[in-house]
């Protein structure tokens, strides 16, 4: 039986009721997700067999369930198919002076080995024997190293444990310090690189003890990598909260730099004859426009050309106001910072965009009573906003070194201070990273990197960032493994543990490469980045990643420092395949596509959950497409070359992309599992399981949300803003389909449409059909500016062929 309910319009929908059997329902869903994430024990690596079940909170259901047959990454690799041309490096017993590179007479260092490998056309293998390789310089692979495999040594006993560390060696000479009484803090003199002038980023910004990252002296006290150190924007469980302080706002702005000019080019993609509009199209998301800013004079970070840009230019390109023009001060509540700082300029503030669209970091310039002035920063997020009541913490201040695991490096005296957890059994082995990148691959082909643990790189959140396209994100073009302008590069069976910034980046013309079966844990920023470049709207040159595969990776606890980060980020990329990955526990979107570029993206069979934990207004997956591009990867757009800069073979209409068979669980401050934000177009979202949220379209066209199972979208304890099976904040662009889905709600409201009116319901814009809708007693509580029955709804051209039935049981779901 169908009844009518009078409800507010979609923009202010009431919260749907939480299912009465919520715990049983969630436990059943999480147990199913656990099974889904355990399907590939021989492909997806697992360091801790309990990590997945713990993240799914199965301890609150049937108890922690270890993953059966779980294997670490190194045990998933295979010996090279042809190991005849093999050489060996052994950091423990090798010698660069007399070694011959054989298994019985190995070299000692990787850089020495690379310089002495014989040149040949056949594949070569460089085996690394067990041990930790402390690197003083980046392992640089070039064209001369094509057809090279660098592998942990594989014997009959298994794969040996090989670790690459960005720390040059172990710090020794520790003595008791008088910084705190009772010899709680130790100090040692070190010879380490110094930062540049004008408060430039310090070189020393991470420290490890016995292989575990320590905490740079901070306040409030808490490890930023664990629950107690997070700032949960919408806690989901009792032990989750925000342990950061709260600013009282700011009054001034930094010098935004000089607006050099603007670039605005057509044609208007929204008016393409291949797509059309339900109504008049005039969206700014349909045309190309960028502002160009020169950094302020003397800026200590943007004082050199941006890496990878291809020209001698350090200008920043942005769709938004200048990322240099950020707040220049912040208020401090009385009593929040009880200690005075002798040298505030060593400090860093970590805070948030005021709408929680990302994280900001600032160098402190000075502190006067209840006001902190900021030297520079905030460019780690593209949009910008005011400094309102943002949460924050401070670090790198010697006066805040007061609890175990904290440390501080005094550049003035070349002294490092450490408050160790314990000295029983001897002083811990302390290492300090000085490298951003451990392996660089440029202009090479057919390189394999496998079976390695990659760790201990510098944090890069105060280095240069760029705004690559029209999405909200800015990105640092750098990583622990940096791959650029190379082809058929495979990184497999590796562990990326506590890297200071991004773990892997595919920069510019990287093609037919595979990042597979790796585990990423506690990365400072994102796990994997795919990042191209263009000449404005002209994306015809081979300067972007294409035809690459990201598969079977296990990525979790990412974004320790950067809060606008993800397991996988792509921008100016085409034909990517993202398959079979597990991604959870992060501050923002699990996967973020910053633009549509040439399209043809395939994202399938991934498990994503526990995202948007420290930010807001996002989903497990997020896409933007505000800036169109002319590429070779699209489909016929119907425009003549004369309106496309004369670029023959170019298209402004991208190829169709597919998001299929994924298991996506909403939670925390997320709104939608699939968030197609401003201008996103040409997506098929098909055959996914979406829990606690549904699909979204905003200012885009030509998308289909179909054949999905959508379970109780918008419930307030697992979602935000009460959005339902499909959200459309569009009202203009055509060809948005919601069909053949199964959607279960607790109140019979199925659609969140911001422009819904029974007197003007455009069936080219809103197209719903052949759905199976479920609610208590088959009630239809939808509103469209007035009361409406399901029969009336169908008479308006919506849900043609759809049915409505009583909500199913847990077993039926």
């Amino acid at each position: 039986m169908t009844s009518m309910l009078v409800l507010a319009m979609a923009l202010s929908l009431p919260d749907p009721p939480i299912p009465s059997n919520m715990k049983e329902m969630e436990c059943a869903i999480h147990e199913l997700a656990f099974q889904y994430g355990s399907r590939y024990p021989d492909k997806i690596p697992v360091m801790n067999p309990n990590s997945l079940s713990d993240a799914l909170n199965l301890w609150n259901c049937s108890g922690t369930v270890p993953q059966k047959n779980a294997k670490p990454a190194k045990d998933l690799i295979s010996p090279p198919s042809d190991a005849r041309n093999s050489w060996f490096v052994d950091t423990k017993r090798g010698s660069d002076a007399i070694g011959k590179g054989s298994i019985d007479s190995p070299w000692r260092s990787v850089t020495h080995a690379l310089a002495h490998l014989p040149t040949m056309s056949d594949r070569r293998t460089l085996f690394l024997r067990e041990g930790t390789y402390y690197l003083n310089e980046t392992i640089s692979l070039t064209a001369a190293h094509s057809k090279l495999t660098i592998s942990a040594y594989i014997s009959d006993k298994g794969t040996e444990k090989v670790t690459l560390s960005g720390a040059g060696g172990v710090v020794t000479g520790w003595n008791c310090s008088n910084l705190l009484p009772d010899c709680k803090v130790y100090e040692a003199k070190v010879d380490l690189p110094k930062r540049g002038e004008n408060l430039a980023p310090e070189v020393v910004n991470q420290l490890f003890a016995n292989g575990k990252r320590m905490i740079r002296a901070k306040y409030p006290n808490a490890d930023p990598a664990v629950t107690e150190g997070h700032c949960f924007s919408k806690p989901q469980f009792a032990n989750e909260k925000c342990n950061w302080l709260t600013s009282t706002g700011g009054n001034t702005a930094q010098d935004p730099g000089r607006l050099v000019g603007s670039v605005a080019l057509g044609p208007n993609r929204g008016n393409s004859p291949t797509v059309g509009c339900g109504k008049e199209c005039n969206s700014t998301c349909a045309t190309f426009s960028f502002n160009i800013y020169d950094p302020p004079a003397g800026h200590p970070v943007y004082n050199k050309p941006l890496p990878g840009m291809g020209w001698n230019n350090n200008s920043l390109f942005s769709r938004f106001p200048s990322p240099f023009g950020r707040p220049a001060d912040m208020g401090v509540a009385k009593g929040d910072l009880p200690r005075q700082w002798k040298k505030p300029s060593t400090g860093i503030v970590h805070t948030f965009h005021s709408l929680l669209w990302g994280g900001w970091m600032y160098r402190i310039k000075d502190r006067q009573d209840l006001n902190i002035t900021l030297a520079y920063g905030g460019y780690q997020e593209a949009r910008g906003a005011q400094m309102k009541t943002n949460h924050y913490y401070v670090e790198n201040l010697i006066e805040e070194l007061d609890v175990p695991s904290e440390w501080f490096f005094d550049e003035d005296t070349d002294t490092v201070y450490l408050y160790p957890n314990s000295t029983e059994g001897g002083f811990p082995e302390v290492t300090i990273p000085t490298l951003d990148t451990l392996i660089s691959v440029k202009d090479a082909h057919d390189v394999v990197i496998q079976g390695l643990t990659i760790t201990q790189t510098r944090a890069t959140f105060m280095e240069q960032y760029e705004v690559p396209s029209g999405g909200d994100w800015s990105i640092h073009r750098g990583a622990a493994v940096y791959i650029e302008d190379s082809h058929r590069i495979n990184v497999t069976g590796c562990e990326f543990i506590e890297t200071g910034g991004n773990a892997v980046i595919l920069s510019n013309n990287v093609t037919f490469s595979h990042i597979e079966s790796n585990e990423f844990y506690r990365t400072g920023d994102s796990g994997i980045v795919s990042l191209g470049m263009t000449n404005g709207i002209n994306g015809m040159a081979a300067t972007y990643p294409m035809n690459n595969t990201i598969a079977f990776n296990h990525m979790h606890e990412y974004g320790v420092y950067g809060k606008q980060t993800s397991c996988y980020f792509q921008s100016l990329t085409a034909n990517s395949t993202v398959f079979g990955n597990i991604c959870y526990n992060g501050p923002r979107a699990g996967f973020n596509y910053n633009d549509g570029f040439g399209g043809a993206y395939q994202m399938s069979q991934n498990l994503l959950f526990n995202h948007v934990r420290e930010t807001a207004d996002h989903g497990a997956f997020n896409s933007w497409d505000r800036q169109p591009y002319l590429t070779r990867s699209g489909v016929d757009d119907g425009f003549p070359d004369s309106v496309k800069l004369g670029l023959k073979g170019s298209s402004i209409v991208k190829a169709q992309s597919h998001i299929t068979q994924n298991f996506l669980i909403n939670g925390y401050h997320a709104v939608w599992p699939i968030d197609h934000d401003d201008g996103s177009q040409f997506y098929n979202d098909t055959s996914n399981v979406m829990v606690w949220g549904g699909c979204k379209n905003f200012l885009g066209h030509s998308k289909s949300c179909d054949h999905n199972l959508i379970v109780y979208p918008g419930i307030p304890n697992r979602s935000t803003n009460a959005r339902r099976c499909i959200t459309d904040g569009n009202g203009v662009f055509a060809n948005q389909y919601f069909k053949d889905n199964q959607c279960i709600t607790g109140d019979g409201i199925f659609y969140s449409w911001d422009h819904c009116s029974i007197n003007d319901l455009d069936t080219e814009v809103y197209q719903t059909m052949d759905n199976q809708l479920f609610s208590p007693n088959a009630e239809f509580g939808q509103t469209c500016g007035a009361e409406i029955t399901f029969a009336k709804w169908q008479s308006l051209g919506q849900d043609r062929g759809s049915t409505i039935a009583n909500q199913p049981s847990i077993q039926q779901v």
Side-chain angles (χ1 to χ4, degrees), residues 444-526:
H445 63 85
D446 298 288
V447 171
V448 176
I449 299 166
Q450 65 173 22
L452 310 178
T453 295
I454 294 170
T455 185
Q456 300 184 18
T457 57
R458 289 182 64 250
T460 54
F461 57 77
M462 293 304 293
E463 304 297 331
Q464 284 189 351
Y465 279 63
E466 57 191 272
V467 182
S469 58
D472 280 6
W473 290 34
S474 59
I475 191 76
H476 172 65
R477 195 181 287 263
V481 172
Y482 187 98
I483 304 169
E484 184 171 270
D485 295 334
S486 298
H487 313 286
R488 297 180 299 280
I489 310 300
N490 288 358
V491 179
T492 184
C494 294
E495 292 177 348
F496 294 84
I497 302 176
E498 297 188 322
T499 59
N502 304 315
V504 176
I505 189 168
L506 309 179
S507 175
N508 295 344
N509 186 26
V510 178
T511 66
F512 298 102
S513 296
H514 293 251
I515 312 299
E516 292 188 4
S517 297
N518 305 286
E519 185 157 7
F520 300 82
Y521 177 64
R522 290 185 176 177
T523 56
D525 287 332
S526 295

Side-chain angles (χ1 to χ4, degrees), residues 92-121:
K92 295 179 179 178
R93 64 183 188 89
S95 171
D96 289 341
I98 61 174
K100 299 178 180 179
S102 66
I103 191 169
D104 296 319
S105 180
W107 294 310
R108 187 174 188 275
S109 69
V110 178
T111 51
H112 178 87
L114 293 176
H116 290 81
L117 282 175
T119 301
M120 58 178 60
S121 59

Side-chain angles (χ1 to χ4, degrees), residues 299-319:
H299 197 291
V301 175
Y302 288 85
N303 57 3
K304 55 184 180 293
L306 282 170
M309 294 300 290
W311 60 85
N312 187 28
N313 193 330
N314 64 341
S315 298
L316 199 63
F317 293 73
S318 175
R319 181 183 176 87

Side-chain angles (χ1 to χ4, degrees), residues 245-247 351-354 360 386-392:
L245 302 171
T246 304
S247 67
T351 185
F352 288 99
H353 181 284
S354 59
W360 294 337
Q386 298 298 314
M387 180 73 74
K388 298 181 180 179
T389 54
N390 301 31
H391 288 103
Y392 74 96

Side-chain angles (χ1 to χ4, degrees), residues 207-214 428-431 455-456 497-498:
L207 180 145
F208 290 76
N210 291 337
K212 183 180 184 301
R213 177 164 49 203
M214 297 290 99
E429 182 179 270
V430 175
T431 52
T455 185
Q456 300 184 18
I497 302 176
E498 297 188 322

Side-chain angles (χ1 to χ4, degrees), residues 584-792:
Y584 56 89
N585 288 358
R588 200 128 178 80
F591 294 168
N592 183 72
Y593 291 14
N594 210 55
D595 50 73
F597 197 59
Y601 310 135
Q602 307 292 328
M603 173 187 152
S604 61
Q605 297 194 33
N606 302 282
L607 171 62
L608 281 72
F609 65 96
N610 289 0
H611 299 292
V612 201
R613 300 198 303 173
E614 298 180 76
T615 56
D617 191 20
H618 234 30
F621 169 85
N622 185 83
S623 67
W624 279 288
D625 200 6
R626 297 186 182 113
Q627 300 277 18
Y629 291 90
L630 294 166
T631 76
R632 298 183 186 277
S633 301
V635 297
D636 185 10
D637 59 15
F639 288 114
D641 292 340
S642 60
V643 300
K644 296 185 294 186
L645 308 181
L647 296 172
K648 293 184 178 180
S650 69
S651 173
I652 202 168
V653 175
K654 60 185 55 60
Q656 198 77 19
S657 294
H658 299 272
I659 299 177
T660 64
Q661 298 181 327
N662 299 283
F663 202 132
L664 310 171
I665 304 177
N666 231 26
Y668 294 93
H669 219 331
V671 186
W672 310 270
I674 297 179
D675 180 357
H676 288 307
D677 219 334
D678 302 16
S680 297
Q681 55 187 288
F682 297 109
Y683 278 96
N684 282 101
D685 305 334
T686 304
S687 301
N688 301 286
V689 174
M690 290 184 275
V691 183
W692 321 133
C695 294
K696 178 207 176 178
N697 165 57
F698 185 62
L699 297 180
H701 58 74
S702 304
K703 292 191 294 296
S704 176
C705 179
D706 62 271
H707 296 89
N708 301 290
L709 172 62
I710 303 172
V711 181
Y712 291 107
I715 61 172
N717 60 339
R718 295 294 181 268
S719 184
T720 299
N721 293 342
R723 299 296 183 164
R724 308 307 172 89
C725 311
I726 176 73
T727 296
D728 197 309
N730 173 9
V732 176
F733 288 104
N735 302 326
Q736 309 290 335
Y737 297 95
F738 184 80
K739 62 188 184 71
D740 292 296
N741 296 288
Q742 296 174 308
C743 185
I744 308 165
T745 73
D747 58 5
I749 302 176
F750 300 98
Y751 300 102
S752 299
W753 291 349
D754 293 350
H755 305 280
C756 189
S757 170
I758 59 174
N759 298 318
D760 185 22
L761 192 58
D762 192 323
T763 54
E764 288 188 64
V765 173
Y766 305 107
Q767 303 198 41
T768 61
M769 63 198 73
D770 299 324
N771 298 294
Q772 298 178 52
L773 307 176
F774 299 92
S775 66
N777 302 313
E779 291 182 344
F780 186 69
Q782 193 65 43
T783 183
C784 193
E787 299 180 15
I788 191 168
T789 64
F790 190 55
K792 175 64 173 177

Side-chain angles (χ1 to χ4, degrees), residues 557-579:
E557 278 73 36
Y558 63 91
V560 172
Y561 301 129
K563 302 306 178 184
Q564 197 179 63
T565 49
S566 58
C567 290
Y568 172 67
F569 169 92
Q570 72 172 39
S571 179
L572 305 178
T573 293
N575 300 75
S576 60
T577 298
V578 182
F579 179 87

